[in-house]
Amino acid sequence: MDKPPIDKTREEVEAERKAKRAAKQERKKAALEKQKSDGFDQENQHKNKNSSSEQSKYTNANEPAKIPKPKTNLPKAVPKKQLTQKTEASKKTINIKNKENNIDKKVEEVKDIKSVNLAKKPLGTMTHKVKLFNHLYTDSVSLLMENKLKINSGKVHPSFIKLGVQMRNCVVAGSNARCLAFLYALRQTISDFLTPEHKQFSRSFEEHLGPAIDHLMACRPFSVSMSNAHKYIMWHVKRLPTNISDGHAKDKLENIINNYIYVQIHMAGKAICIAAQNKIADEDVILTYGYSSLIERILTEAYSNNKKFSVIVVDSAPWYEGRQLLHRLVHNNIKCTYVLLSATSFIMTRATKVLLGAHALLANGYVMGRAGSSQIALIAKYFNVPVLVCCETYKFTERVQTDSIVFNELGNENDVMPKEQWLNNRYLIPLCLRYDVTTSDLVTAVVTEIAILPCTSVPVVLRVRPNDYGILNK
């Protein structure tokens, strides 16, 4: 039978707890005293040994030497706690030393690797690319090798070889100039082309023209005007009859090219000049940016028609194209002022109108022009100065773009600064963008050969334009 539990009072329970705590404290004190006594005994033994050795040193030489007692090889009893503490301390010191040695070895290896890499990679082989525009860079070395192979194989006509060199060195610059040079080279290629036996003229000419187009694209990317002209010509080449002779085909294509140059470039420019002159009044101050052959033509013809006005030419690095426009306007006795892009906000207060050229007009109404045009339009908008963009309709494109990052063209970095200043500096990356995009709300109107239109009318022009102008609505 189990005994029934005895109920304890609160005072008895607290007394038992206090007794247990006191017993624990006494045990701890006894353990500490034992450790201290063991330490004192070891110190006394060590001191006795040292004193005995000192006394033996100072003993008289006349005293007979004491014969030492033979030592027994029996080991002395050492407490277990001391042995474990010593072994653990020795292990810790050994591990710390090993870690330090390993760290020193790794540091030396890293230094050796860096020195080897620096020796292998000279400073001139650093890649200077901006990651945001990484898709715009091209491997110029491989492209030049491919171009040399094409040129040496005789697949590229000499007129295209000459044009490629001129475009790469910016001898031929500007949207209209590049398009005209391309059409002249294409006309020369057509006149010198001979159709192989048992082949059609259209298909064989397309195969013959392919390497020449690739060569031009490798020298410098096509402008919108060049790509539209190329599409227009190839649209007519594909529609030539299969049984047509070489002479008739060449005459027909040459007439098409001449008609395109006359209508789309020369006559369109003349119509734009007439429309723009009506917007120029006496005592006007016209502000323009960079160089545009169409703007030069408008200003010179307006001055020859006894319009009294002055011109402010705004220019910027690295090409300073505005100097060419300045020289030509001054040669025609037009009063001019020349400033840099950084002084636009200061000089805009004197301007009454802004005339800008364009590289292309996009389908969403945005204007693609030389880098800096958007800044001019933004400052003019702030000062309530009207901005007129002069552009032919053959530069209209169905492409849609809202920034200057997705599609652009890179210039030569050496034009920005000398090569010696940035080639060996890994923290300096020169960037040279050729074009920027101006939003439609910053442009007052676009002067075309059709009429003076808002920027948002570009899709309408692309839809209404006749099919004869290329691969448009069918």
Side-chain angles (χ1 to χ4, degrees):
M1 295 294 291
D2 294 332
K3 293 180 180 180
I6 300 168
D7 293 333
K8 294 181 181 181
T9 61
R10 186 181 293 175
E11 294 176 356
E12 290 176 354
V13 173
E14 289 180 357
E16 285 180 1
R17 288 177 181 175
K18 287 180 180 179
K20 287 179 182 180
R21 289 173 188 168
K24 283 182 181 180
Q25 289 178 0
E26 287 177 359
R27 287 172 197 165
K28 288 180 181 179
K29 287 180 181 179
L32 291 170
E33 287 176 357
K34 191 176 180 181
Q35 288 179 1
K36 287 180 182 180
S37 62
D38 292 337
F40 284 126
D41 291 338
Q42 289 177 4
E43 288 179 0
N44 291 329
Q45 288 177 5
H46 186 65
K47 287 179 181 179
N48 291 330
K49 286 180 182 179
N50 291 333
S51 62
S52 61
S53 61
E54 289 175 358
Q55 287 176 4
S56 62
K57 287 179 184 178
Y58 293 106
T59 52
N60 296 324
N62 295 327
E63 292 181 0
K66 294 179 181 179
I67 298 168
K69 294 180 182 180
K71 292 182 180 179
T72 58
N73 294 325
L74 294 173
K76 292 181 180 180
V78 182
K80 291 182 180 180
K81 290 183 179 180
Q82 292 181 4
L83 286 171
T84 54
Q85 290 176 359
K86 287 181 180 179
T87 53
E88 288 176 359
S90 62
K91 285 180 181 178
K92 287 180 180 178
T93 53
I94 291 165
N95 291 330
I96 290 166
K97 288 180 180 178
N98 291 332
K99 287 180 180 178
E100 290 177 353
N101 293 328
N102 291 329
I103 290 167
D104 293 335
K105 287 180 182 179
K106 288 180 180 179
V107 170
E108 290 176 357
E109 289 176 359
V110 170
K111 287 181 180 179
D112 294 335
I113 290 165
K114 284 183 178 179
S115 62
V116 171
N117 290 334
L118 289 171
K120 286 182 180 179
K121 294 182 180 180
L123 293 172
T125 59
M126 292 180 186
T127 56
H128 291 76
K129 292 183 179 181
V130 181
K131 290 184 180 180
L132 186 62
F133 299 94
N134 202 21
H135 59 285
L136 300 177
Y137 290 93
T138 56
D139 190 1
S140 58
V141 178
S142 61
L143 289 174
L144 287 173
M145 292 298 293
E146 291 178 4
N147 285 341
K148 286 181 181 179
L149 292 172
K150 290 176 184 177
I151 291 168
N152 293 331
S153 63
K155 295 181 179 179
V156 182
H157 194 271
S159 60
F160 279 100
I161 296 172
K162 180 181 177 181
L163 178 59
V165 174
Q166 291 174 342
M167 288 171 59
R168 187 171 61 244
N169 296 327
C170 293
V171 176
V172 177
S175 186
N176 287 337
R178 288 165 67 190
C179 184
L180 284 171
F182 169 72
L183 291 173
Y184 291 149
L186 185 61
R187 188 174 62 185
Q188 186 65 33
T189 304
I190 290 170
S191 64
D192 295 340
F193 177 71
L194 295 175
T195 308
E197 294 182 358
H198 309 291
K199 285 190 176 182
Q200 295 181 5
F201 178 86
S202 59
R203 293 184 179 180
S204 57
F205 181 72
E206 283 184 33
E207 295 175 359
H208 177 72
L209 192 63
I213 300 298
D214 294 337
H215 170 71
L216 285 183
M217 291 288 287
C219 293
R220 187 178 173 183
F222 270 22
S223 63
V224 173
S225 59
M226 292 174 70
S227 60
N228 286 342
H230 177 242
K231 290 175 184 177
Y232 172 82
I233 302 301
M234 298 312 296
W235 185 79
H236 285 281
V237 169
K238 291 176 182 178
R239 280 154 181 77
L240 290 173
T242 56
N243 57 354
I244 193 170
S245 62
D246 286 1
H248 288 293
K250 290 179 181 179
D251 291 339
K252 188 173 183 180
L253 290 177
E254 286 179 0
N255 289 331
I256 290 168
I257 292 172
N258 293 333
N259 185 52
Y260 186 87
I261 292 171
Y262 179 73
V263 174
Q264 296 295 323
I265 300 175
H266 293 307
M267 293 303 295
K270 187 175 182 180
I272 291 170
C273 286
I274 294 169
Q277 285 177 34
N278 295 329
K279 297 296 179 183
I280 298 175
D282 289 336
E283 306 301 329
D284 264 350
V285 180
I286 309 298
L287 187 141
T288 184
Y289 175 67
Y291 175 77
S292 173
S293 58
L294 185 59
I295 299 298
E296 179 197 350
R297 185 176 176 182
I298 291 169
L299 295 176
T300 52
E301 288 189 6
Y303 186 79
S304 63
N305 292 331
N306 298 322
K307 294 274 186 178
K308 296 179 181 180
F309 61 91
S310 60
V311 180
I312 299 172
V313 180
V314 183
D315 205 0
S316 67
W319 299 292
Y320 296 103
E321 295 175 340
R323 294 176 182 176
Q324 184 179 357
L325 178 64
L326 180 68
H327 289 309
R328 296 188 179 188
L329 294 178
V330 171
H331 181 72
N332 291 320
N333 299 322
I334 298 174
K335 185 180 178 182
C336 297
T337 304
Y338 180 81
V339 296
L340 294 178
L341 186 62
S342 56
T344 307
S345 59
F346 167 75
I347 205 72
M348 188 63 74
T349 55
R350 295 171 52 189
T352 57
K353 291 182 181 68
V354 175
L355 290 180
L356 295 176
H359 174 76
L361 251 76
L362 308 177
N364 56 348
Y366 285 30
V367 180
M368 192 174 185
R370 59 178 44 82
S373 300
S374 60
Q375 185 176 347
I376 298 289
L378 182 64
I379 296 171
K381 179 78 172 180
Y382 178 79
F383 285 98
N384 295 321
V385 179
V387 178
L388 300 176
V389 175
C390 303
C391 181
E392 302 90 341
T393 55
Y394 85 100
K395 295 180 185 177
F396 287 17
T397 179
E398 295 177 354
R399 186 194 304 158
V400 175
Q401 192 174 335
T402 57
D403 55 35
S404 306
I405 300 171
V406 176
F407 178 82
N408 210 319
E409 185 180 343
L410 295 177
N412 192 359
E413 296 89 351
N414 298 328
D415 294 335
V416 180
M417 62 176 62
K419 195 173 184 179
E420 296 80 11
Q421 294 183 7
W422 60 268
L423 185 63
N424 296 329
N425 190 348
R426 60 185 299 181
Y427 302 105
L428 181 60
I429 304 174
L431 181 66
C432 184
L433 294 176
R434 289 188 179 273
Y435 304 112
D436 65 6
V437 175
T438 306
T439 57
S440 58
D441 59 334
L442 300 179
V443 178
T444 307
V446 180
V447 184
T448 66
E449 67 269 24
I450 299 172
I452 298 176
L453 305 170
C455 291
T456 52
S457 298
V458 175
V460 179
V461 174
L462 292 173
R463 187 172 66 251
V464 173
R465 196 164 55 178
N467 291 334
D468 293 340
Y469 290 165
I471 55 162
L472 296 167
N473 309 309
K474 293 173 65 177

